């Protein structure tokens, strides 16, 4: 359905947008039609009433402000394009709730290598091969007997594999963001954040942005 | 501190609810005793203020022996106590208001979700089925109504997002920047994430949505700005004239990004341009048309935008005045600004 659409549109409808809205729009029998004009003006009609007009030449001043994210140490793996990242990056979630739907949603969104496991030891092969590890604060780290559960495990992973990305997440909305281990991690997220937020985090960490 | 030199207080609402107390059980007993026993070793006083009552008790010998001195001490404490109680009451009222708003809006979204499901899968029909037949029954219902099932799912997505918007607004407005996470986002993508939820609403009212794409990026907190967008789009879906257009443009000038929503929507009178952003205020024309909400959306959207170093402003165009089914519509622009 989206094969002929430009890259930005696939991105715009990445994540849950593809899996939920794409499917439903299909049911509504109003498929998106894309027409690429010679002047790069794209018109996408998703419904007789809703038009999205796109001008890829639209000029915009570059954003000068930098994101508040800390600068990553050199040497961490980067991917040139989002699709390449989606195809190649190996993501591992460590979460005692292995039914955590995000894993399935990310797979639906095109991230080909996403795994989840209940717990992990720093020497586990699956962990060794992962590029980015998401660690739930609660309910994990038991295998290595960490009293501070996921935080202890995340800390051990960061110490053993400084070139891996480690993201800590929690179902507590107001976790202690001043915790030393949380600050040491590449990012920290609310477990029930939108899929967009998780994908944004992945993009920030993994994708080499031009300019 | 020497306990015998203290003045202790017990502050309660007039209905007896406790606000603050450093009375011990013994203080309470002695307070009661002092009311009737003139030879009591403690001195007590009760002062009633607007909305609350304070009991004072002291064992300090100088104060016990001198009414003048005790009254002077109480007068000194009184203003501080009043400042403290009024601040506390304000805080409680704000919290109660936030919780009421959250409770009402979440209950509404939940009820709407249940109704949507009820329409597709009537409870009266499913409860009579044998246990093993229930899933088959649901399967048949969904297959029979594939179009309305699809619309229902989009509505459920909107109601879930609405619930999330309410919870996010509650956390943001209570906890403020603690819960915010500033990052650089593609504004177009963030808009699209919210816009698709309103697909059935715009479709139902034959409102054409036109959106100009470009690659503008801005730094903001995604969750909270999504709340502002949700409320703006919700209002647009409610107040746009049927068979009209909603045009969304993204602009960037220097360090400022703007998202402009232009629409033919219910008139906003001059005296309402500021009021519309105060909590509990609903537009006169929305009230007349009996489609007003609780006057929360624009208030929350503005507060949220301010937390993101942004703002919302409204521009009206009186020359475009149109009347449709007794409702007055004008071209209105809602402009979201992000300064980053």
């Amino acid at each position: 359905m989206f094969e002929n659409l430009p890259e930005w549109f696939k991105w715009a409808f990445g994540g849950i947008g593809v899996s939920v809205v794409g499917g439903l729009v299909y049911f509504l029998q109003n498929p998106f039609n894309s027409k690429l004009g010679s002047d790069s003006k794209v018109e996408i009609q998703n419904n007789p009433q809703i038009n999205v007009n796109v001008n890829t030449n639209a000029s915009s001043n570059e954003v000068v402000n930098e994101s508040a994210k800390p600068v990553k140490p050199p040497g961490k793996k980067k991917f040139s394009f989002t699709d390449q990242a989606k195809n190649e990056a190996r993501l591992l979630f460590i979460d005692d709730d292995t039914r955590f739907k995000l894993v399935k949603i990310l797979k639906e969104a095109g991230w080909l290598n996403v795994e989840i496991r209940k717990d992990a030891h720093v020497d586990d092969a699956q962990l060794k091969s992962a590029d980015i590890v998401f660690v739930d604060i609660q309910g994990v780290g038991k295998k290595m007997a960490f009293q501070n559960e996921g935080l202890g495990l995340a800390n051990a992973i960061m110490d053993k594999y400084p070139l891996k990305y480690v993201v800590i997440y929690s179902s507590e909305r107001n976790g202690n963001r001043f915790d030393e281990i949380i600050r040491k991690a590449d990012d920290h997220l609310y477990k029930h954040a939108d899929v967009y937020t998780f994908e944004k985090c992945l993009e920030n960490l993994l994708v080499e942005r031009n300019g | 501190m020497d306990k015998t030199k203290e003045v202790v207080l017990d502050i309660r609402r007039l209905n007896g609810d406790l606000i603050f107390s450093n009375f011990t059980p013994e203080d309470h007993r002695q307070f009661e005793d002092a009311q009737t026993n003139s030879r009591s070793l403690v001195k007590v006083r009760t002062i009633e203020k607007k909305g609350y009552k304070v009991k004072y008790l002291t064992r300090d010998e100088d104060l016990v022996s001198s009414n003048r001195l005790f009254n002077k001490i109480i007068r000194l404490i009184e203003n501080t106590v009043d400042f403290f109680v009024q601040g506390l009451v304000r805080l409680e009222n704000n919290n109660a208001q936030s919780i009421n708003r959250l409770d009402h809006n979440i209950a509404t979204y939940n009820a709407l979700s249940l109704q949507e499901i009820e329409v597709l899968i009537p409870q009266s029909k499913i409860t009579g089925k044998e246990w093993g037949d229930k899933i088959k029954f649901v399967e048949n219902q969904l297959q029979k109504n594939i179009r309305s099932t699809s619309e229902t799912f989009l509505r459920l997505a909107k109601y879930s997002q609405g619930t999330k918007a309410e919870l996010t607004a509650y956390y943001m407005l209570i906890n403020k920047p603690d819960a915010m996470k500033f990052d650089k986002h593609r504004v177009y993508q963030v808009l699209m994430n919210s816009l698709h939820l309103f697909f059935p609403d715009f479709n139902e009212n034959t409102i054409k949505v036109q959106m100009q794409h470009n690659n503008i990026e801005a730094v903001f907190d995604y969750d909270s700005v999504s709340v502002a967008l949700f409320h703006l789009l919700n209002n647009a879906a409610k107040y746009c004239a049927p068979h009209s257009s909603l045009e969304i443009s993204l602009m960037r000038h220097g360090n400022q990004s703007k998202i402009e929503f232009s629409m033919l929507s219910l008139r906003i009178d001059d005296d309402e341009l500021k009021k519309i952003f105060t909590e509990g205020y609903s537009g006169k024309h929305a009230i007349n048309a009996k489609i007003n909400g609780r006057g929360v959306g624009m208030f929350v959207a503005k507060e949220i935008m301010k937390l993101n170093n942004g703002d919302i402003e409204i521009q009206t165009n009186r020359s475009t005045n149109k009347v449709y089914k007794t409702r007055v519509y004008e071209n209105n622009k809602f402009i979201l600004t992000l300064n980053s």
Side-chain angles (χ1 to χ4, degrees):
Chain A
M1 185 176 175
F2 291 94
E3 293 81 4
N4 298 323
L5 294 176
E7 191 54 45
W8 59 263
F9 197 82
K10 287 182 196 170
W11 177 254
F13 272 80
I16 199 162
V18 170
S19 51
V20 177
V21 181
L24 293 171
V25 169
Y26 176 76
F27 280 131
L28 289 168
Q29 297 177 337
N30 287 308
F32 291 86
N33 298 311
S34 122
K35 293 179 216 159
L36 265 169
S38 55
D39 60 350
S40 296
K41 189 173 181 183
V42 180
E43 183 174 290
I44 293 146
Q45 195 168 346
N46 58 356
N47 179 284
Q49 284 78 47
I50 300 186
N51 297 317
V52 181
N53 297 316
V54 180
N55 187 343
T56 52
N57 286 337
S59 64
S60 63
N61 298 333
E62 286 303 311
V63 175
V64 287
N65 305 56
E66 284 306 317
S67 158
K69 301 215 83 44
V71 178
K72 298 283 169 292
K76 291 205 178 187
K77 201 166 178 176
K78 288 280 183 190
F79 297 85
S80 301
F81 304 102
T82 303
D83 279 353
Q84 188 201 352
K86 284 186 169 185
N87 291 339
E88 295 178 14
R90 283 156 300 184
L91 318 182
L92 177 66
F93 283 79
I94 303 172
D95 193 320
D96 62 332
D97 175 14
T98 51
R99 293 166 305 170
F100 185 31
K101 283 276 191 285
L102 184 76
V103 171
K104 198 174 173 188
I105 294 167
L106 285 175
K107 282 183 177 172
E108 288 284 331
W111 295 87
L112 298 184
N113 308 297
V114 193
E115 301 294 334
I116 187 164
R117 54 184 298 161
K118 271 181 102 67
D119 204 349
H121 189 282
V122 280
D123 292 324
D124 287 345
Q126 209 177 5
L127 181 58
K128 278 184 191 170
S129 65
D131 295 308
I132 178 162
V133 188
F134 288 87
V135 185
D136 187 7
I137 284 187
Q138 291 93 11
V140 302
K142 290 173 185 162
K143 218 170 169 181
M144 292 181 73
F146 287 115
Q147 282 195 333
N148 52 351
E149 303 189 10
L151 286 176
L153 179 61
N155 197 32
I157 296 168
M158 288 186 279
D159 285 346
K160 177 131 189 171
Y161 306 104
L163 294 183
K164 282 190 197 303
Y165 296 102
V166 175
V167 177
I168 294 172
Y169 64 92
S170 166
S171 53
E172 295 290 328
R173 191 186 281 267
N174 295 318
N176 182 6
R177 49 186 63 208
F178 299 109
D179 183 282
E180 199 184 320
I181 299 171
I182 290 179
R183 290 170 68 83
K184 189 172 148 189
D186 291 282
D187 206 347
H188 63 276
L189 300 170
Y190 174 46
K191 183 170 180 175
H192 305 303
D194 282 8
V195 177
Y196 168 86
T197 303
F198 277 86
E199 283 209 278
K200 179 74 186 158
C201 159
L202 285 167
E203 186 200 355
N204 284 347
L205 296 180
L206 291 173
V207 180
E208 194 84 70
R209 297 182 73 182
N210 298 319
Chain B
M1 189 178 170
D2 183 355
K3 298 290 266 182
T4 61
K5 298 290 179 194
E6 273 182 3
V7 176
V8 289
L9 302 90
D10 181 274
I11 312 170
R12 288 171 192 269
R13 292 181 199 283
L14 297 180
N15 65 7
D17 286 352
L18 181 69
I19 295 177
F20 170 84
S21 180
N22 58 356
F23 269 35
T24 61
E26 179 61 13
D27 293 336
H28 281 292
R29 198 195 60 72
Q30 289 200 346
F31 187 94
E32 294 309 318
D33 180 59
Q35 306 278 346
T36 50
N37 180 2
S38 57
R39 284 191 285 178
S40 169
L41 295 176
V42 301
K43 196 166 194 73
V44 298
R45 185 82 78 244
T46 302
I47 294 181
E48 197 169 310
K49 305 286 280 186
K50 196 180 169 190
Y52 67 97
K53 194 162 70 176
V54 189
K55 288 178 182 173
Y56 296 90
L57 178 146
T58 187
R59 292 182 179 82
D60 184 296
E61 284 171 12
D62 296 337
L63 298 180
V64 170
S65 60
S66 166
N67 270 336
R68 192 186 59 80
L69 197 56
F70 187 44
N71 288 340
K72 189 176 174 185
I73 292 290
I74 286 176
R75 274 199 305 279
L76 286 172
I77 300 172
E78 214 171 20
N79 282 343
T80 311
V81 167
D82 195 56
F83 179 76
F84 163 75
V85 171
Q86 296 306 338
L88 198 73
V89 167
R90 247 194 327 273
L91 194 69
E92 279 181 354
N93 287 344
N94 284 346
N95 280 347
Q97 205 173 4
S98 297
I99 288 168
N100 281 344
R101 186 173 66 221
L102 184 72
D103 179 57
H104 172 271
N105 293 348
I106 286 184
T108 304
Y109 282 126
N110 186 49
L112 290 170
S113 301
L114 289 173
Q115 284 162 17
E116 288 286 339
I117 294 168
E118 175 73 22
V119 169
L120 273 183
I121 308 156
Q123 212 173 41
S124 57
K125 290 188 181 164
I126 196 168
T127 46
K129 301 282 170 200
E130 290 295 324
W131 193 249
D133 294 337
K134 287 185 195 290
I135 289 183
K136 190 75 196 157
F137 170 73
V138 174
E139 206 176 293
N140 286 338
Q141 284 294 106
L142 301 189
Q143 276 168 359
K144 261 193 327 198
N145 306 295
I146 200 97
R147 168 100 193 182
S148 50
T149 300
S150 310
E151 288 172 346
T152 297
F153 269 94
L154 278 178
R155 287 210 174 85
L156 290 177
K158 179 187 149 188
Y159 299 147
S160 295
Q161 201 61 35
T163 305
K164 188 185 170 227
E166 294 302 333
L167 287 167
T168 305
Y170 175 76
Y171 286 114
M172 294 295 165
L173 298 178
I174 298 283
N175 291 332
K176 301 226 162 130
D178 269 5
M180 297 177 82
K181 188 171 184 179
F182 286 85
D183 202 348
K184 193 192 279 182
H185 299 274
R186 296 179 188 89
V187 180
Y188 176 82
Q189 185 184 352
V190 172
L191 250 168
M192 290 300 279
N193 287 353
S194 295
L195 186 60
H196 80 255
L197 301 168
F198 295 90
F199 183 91
D201 300 286
F202 290 127
N203 201 23
E204 201 173 297
N205 294 318
T206 356
I207 295 161
K208 188 171 151 189
V209 181
Q210 292 178 309
M211 188 160 160
Q212 196 69 38
H213 173 270
N214 58 31
N215 294 318
I216 285 172
E217 291 183 309
V219 176
F220 54 86
D221 170 67
Y222 172 77
D223 279 341
S224 58
V225 167
S226 295
V227 172
L229 291 172
F230 184 90
H231 285 299
L232 266 174
L233 289 166
N234 203 24
N235 279 3
K238 259 164 65 179
Y239 302 134
C240 272
H243 311 289
S244 66
S245 307
L246 165 66
E247 284 174 32
I248 307 172
S249 317
L250 311 179
M251 287 159 278
R252 185 153 181 98
H253 303 290
N255 280 346
Q256 200 172 62
S257 301
K258 286 191 176 196
I259 312 171
E260 195 176 280
F261 297 82
S262 303
M263 62 190 94
L264 183 67
S265 60
L266 283 181
R267 179 187 157 98
I268 303 162
D269 290 343
D270 285 342
D271 65 321
E272 295 185 298
L273 289 171
K274 277 191 181 158
K275 282 187 205 160
I276 214 148
F277 294 112
T278 51
E279 186 165 15
Y281 185 85
S282 291
K284 286 181 248 177
H285 294 268
I287 293 171
N288 290 342
K290 297 194 172 84
I291 52 171
N292 60 302
R294 283 165 50 105
V296 169
M298 293 305 286
F299 160 74
V300 169
K302 180 119 175 162
E303 292 299 307
I304 290 278
M305 289 307 291
K306 282 198 265 180
L307 289 177
N308 279 279
N309 193 25
D311 204 358
I312 303 180
E313 62 164 316
I314 304 173
Q315 288 175 4
T316 57
N317 184 348
R318 304 288 179 222
S319 66
T320 54
N321 194 297
K322 289 185 180 72
V323 178
Y324 176 76
K325 286 187 179 173
T326 72
R327 295 178 186 177
V328 185
Y329 292 98
E330 285 175 355
N331 277 350
N332 293 315
K333 278 186 183 174
F334 292 79
I335 304 163
L336 264 67
T337 309
L338 285 159
N339 296 302
S340 59

